[in-house]
Amino acid sequence: MAEVASLIPPLEARPIKNTICLFDVDNTLTPARRSASPEMLTLLSALRHKCALGYVGGSDLVKQQEQLGTPALPVTALFDFCFAENGLTAYRMGKPLTGNSFIEWLGEEKYQQLVNFCLVYVAGLKLPVKRGTFVEFRNGMVNISPIGRNASLAERNAFVTYDRTHNVRHDFVLALKEKFPDYGLTYSIGGQISFDVFPTGWDKTYCLKYLEEEKALSGVEYTTIHFFGDKTSKGGNDYEIYEDKRTVGHAVDGPEDTMRIIKEMFKL
């Protein structure tokens, strides 16, 4: 992998230089909160020799390194564009870009009101299990998990089934919308056990502005932006970018499906 990364041609020298493939992370490149397979990483490396490669996820960069990076290489060396927290933390060709801050936008007072409401709401929930880290603060958003982000893999999988029947996250989001109608926030359900809260407009489409700026940097204009994601229905955290007129959306059903589509599209 190290040799492959060092031999990647510059963006302007890719055979399909006006195209970029942009991927969601959980259930698109990897199983939820797990690592990408060696087969996936090998395929992405081959794809990167044809066109630009990027990912956009709601998690922070540390988690994305755990899922997509390797012990030998940082994730920022394996993708041309790395967009953590929907692009609020962004890297281009291994170098950081100017980001943004949720707390600066919302303000400490409103932020505490939001968090306090969430903690009280979680305290009132009766669930099969509860663990820890119900509210996770990130640079560009807040992640809310009714069961807690410390849940084990088995507990996460069980919650998925429970949530389908009891609409725990859906009802939580409705309560937040009713409580804070004037905060200008968007609530996006993604992954298995949580949902993201961020300023309206700071969904995954936020990262597209960096791709639009590429023409001024390298002369490359991305006229085709393929986006691959699994939560593409309304209310899912891939919906906005999947439906955006600037992208060509591909709904996938897990990493194997992503690999199948890539191989068919690019003859890999």
Side-chain angles (χ1 to χ4, degrees):
M1 290 295 293
E3 307 94 75
V4 171
S6 66
L7 295 174
I8 296 297
L11 296 174
E12 60 271 22
R14 308 285 166 92
I16 318 174
K17 71 175 184 178
N18 296 115
T19 293
I20 181 170
C21 287
L22 190 61
F23 299 90
D24 167 51
V25 181
D26 280 342
N27 292 319
T28 299
L29 293 180
T30 77
R33 287 298 298 125
R34 294 163 70 187
S35 298
S37 68
E39 294 78 13
M40 175 64 83
L41 293 177
T42 298
L43 180 62
L44 292 176
S45 179
L47 177 61
R48 196 178 177 196
H49 281 80
K50 287 179 172 284
C51 66
L53 194 69
Y55 73 80
V56 55
S59 296
D60 59 33
L61 192 65
V62 172
K63 293 185 178 67
Q64 290 163 357
Q65 171 64 29
E66 293 171 356
Q67 292 181 262
L68 298 173
T70 73
L73 281 174
V75 65
T76 52
L78 297 175
F79 292 80
D80 302 306
F81 296 91
C82 300
F83 299 125
E85 301 181 53
N86 292 353
L88 277 300
T89 298
Y91 282 76
R92 174 192 178 273
M93 305 303 287
K95 297 182 179 179
L97 301 172
T98 302
N100 216 327
S101 167
F102 176 81
I103 196 71
E104 289 179 10
W105 181 89
L106 186 63
E108 184 65 32
E109 183 177 350
K110 286 185 175 180
Y111 171 71
Q112 289 201 28
Q113 291 174 1
L114 176 71
V115 170
N116 290 346
F117 178 85
C118 289
L119 293 175
V120 170
Y121 189 97
V122 168
L125 289 173
K126 175 63 177 174
L127 302 175
V129 299
K130 284 183 186 176
R131 294 301 177 250
T133 312
F134 303 104
V135 177
E136 182 178 81
F137 176 75
R138 300 173 182 171
N139 185 55
M141 65 182 71
V142 176
N143 180 265
I144 311 296
S145 176
I147 186 178
R149 296 195 61 86
N150 293 347
S152 68
L153 179 59
E155 290 164 345
R156 286 167 175 260
N157 291 336
F159 180 78
V160 171
T161 302
Y162 184 86
D163 193 34
R164 286 197 192 109
T165 304
H166 296 85
N167 296 312
V168 178
R169 290 183 293 175
H170 176 267
D171 292 346
F172 201 155
V173 166
L174 290 181
L176 283 163
K177 287 181 176 179
E178 182 178 347
K179 179 66 176 179
F180 304 104
D182 58 345
Y183 270 30
L185 297 172
T186 291
Y187 306 88
S188 186
I189 296 173
Q192 294 180 300
I193 62 169
S194 64
F195 60 90
D196 296 327
V197 184
F198 48 83
T200 299
W202 288 19
D203 52 59
K204 288 184 179 178
T205 61
Y206 186 92
C207 76
L208 297 179
K209 76 187 189 90
Y210 296 112
L211 303 184
E212 292 173 335
E213 293 169 357
E214 185 59 34
K215 185 177 181 180
L217 296 175
S218 67
V220 176
E221 182 179 6
Y222 291 119
T223 54
T224 303
I225 302 172
H226 291 288
F227 172 75
F228 301 80
D230 70 309
K231 292 288 191 298
T232 57
S233 300
K234 191 172 180 61
N237 64 354
D238 296 324
Y239 174 76
E240 290 84 1
I241 191 169
Y242 175 80
E243 291 288 340
D244 195 282
K245 64 181 181 180
R246 293 168 289 181
T247 69
V248 179
H250 305 271
V252 302
D253 186 25
E256 294 298 324
D257 195 32
T258 302
M259 293 177 69
R260 177 189 63 79
I261 296 172
I262 293 171
K263 290 175 181 178
E264 290 177 357
M265 286 178 59
F266 294 94
K267 306 295 188 291
L268 293 171

